[in-house]
Amino acid sequence: MASSAIKSGALVSLQDLHPSSHYFRQGTSLRVTGKLQEYSAQTAIAMVVDGSAKLKVNTEHLRNLNLKLGSFYQFIGELLIQPDNEAVLQARVGRNVDGINLDLYHQSLQLLRQFQADHLKNPTT
Amino acid sequence: MDHHHHLLCNTHVKLLAFDLLSLTQIPSDPISFSRHGTLLSRAETLGLVTSLDLKPGKFLKFVVDDGTGCVDCVLWLNHLTSPYFARRSPSDVRQIAASSNHFASELKLGAVARVRGRITKYRGVVQITVSDVVVERDPNAEILHWLDCVRLARKRYDVLQSE
């Protein structure tokens, strides 16, 4: 059922965000988590990484968020796929998640997806 | 004859947004919502605040995104002027108003909020009419909330329907 006009950011790990993934679509609302590897204050473009996977994030709307290289962040926004097929998340919300247990996060995400899939097979009445 | 379970009627049930948003309002008892035949009236949600709309002295509407959906929440801020509270003790009303104003001041875009309140419906969409808010500082709080929701649904809430 639809909620407000605000779209929920689908939880996705950076490893799952590759061009053949169903998440890799223009305008898809996503929530990503990763370590800040690069950041340009001039362009507001950040690069977050998780293992070998990486993603550019446009943080121009998050000027109040203090970005520190090496810290972990979570961003919600919409995916912009550029003509060269590079994706940039247009972040509308961000938060620092230093101290997050990423192993627990990824494992819990699998459980959550399984629960949601089971529930959709037997919807609430 | 009423075939619903009432055991969780006054409990703040921990529900994921997609689950909460699929509850069915009971036409004969609009303060109750059915989940697989179990009646609920209160819920707890936790997630990132992704939208804030403040009308000072009236209400704060905000949206909590837990990754499975967005829950609309309304926190009333009109306690000192609303006739609804006129018959209650003025000191109680002042206390409720102060708490609500404190909750409103804590909520920021990107904060992780644990929200409890009554399940209501507005313009066809399930929402929470807020009674209390805690802003979580632990970066793992949301993960633990997901696990709580899944465990409670499987071990408790879903079991009631088969009894």
Side-chain angles (χ1 to χ4, degrees), chain A residues 1-11 31 74-76 92-102 104-109 111-112 114-120 122-125, chain B residues 16 18-19 21-24 34-37 47-51 63 65-72 109-110 112 121 124-126 138-140 142-144 146-147 149-150 153-154 158:
Chain A
M1 189 182 288
S3 178
S4 58
I6 310 288
K7 283 190 184 169
S8 174
L11 300 158
R31 188 197 305 198
Q74 202 163 60
F75 296 102
I76 296 179
R92 53 185 155 86
V93 178
R95 66 166 178 145
N96 178 294
V97 289
D98 279 340
I100 193 168
N101 183 332
L102 273 180
L104 182 65
Y105 180 81
H106 292 309
Q107 287 176 43
S108 304
L109 200 49
L111 284 172
L112 189 65
Q114 186 58 53
F115 174 73
Q116 205 167 353
D118 292 347
H119 203 278
L120 290 172
N122 301 294
T124 303
T125 53
Chain B
L16 293 163
F18 83 94
D19 206 349
L21 296 174
S22 62
L23 298 180
T24 314
S34 171
R35 180 186 185 277
H36 296 293
L48 264 77
V49 177
T50 57
S51 169
V63 173
D65 183 349
D66 75 357
T68 73
C70 285
V71 178
D72 292 341
L109 283 181
V112 171
K121 202 166 194 179
V125 178
V126 173
D138 181 344
N140 296 300
E142 198 183 19
I143 304 172
L144 300 176
W146 297 340
L147 297 175
C149 289
V150 170
R154 288 201 168 132
D158 289 350

Side-chain angles (χ1 to χ4, degrees), chain B residues 53 55 58-64 71-79 100 103 107 115-122 126-133:
Chain B
D53 176 17
K55 295 279 184 286
K58 292 183 178 172
F59 58 77
L60 172 66
K61 287 185 178 179
F62 60 100
V63 173
V64 171
V71 178
D72 292 341
C73 301
V74 59
L75 172 64
W76 289 103
L77 302 171
N78 62 347
H79 307 85
S100 298
F103 298 148
L107 289 164
V115 180
R116 287 179 160 194
R118 281 188 298 112
I119 307 166
T120 51
K121 202 166 194 179
Y122 182 65
V126 173
Q127 64 171 18
I128 291 183
T129 299
V130 178
S131 51
D132 64 273
V133 176

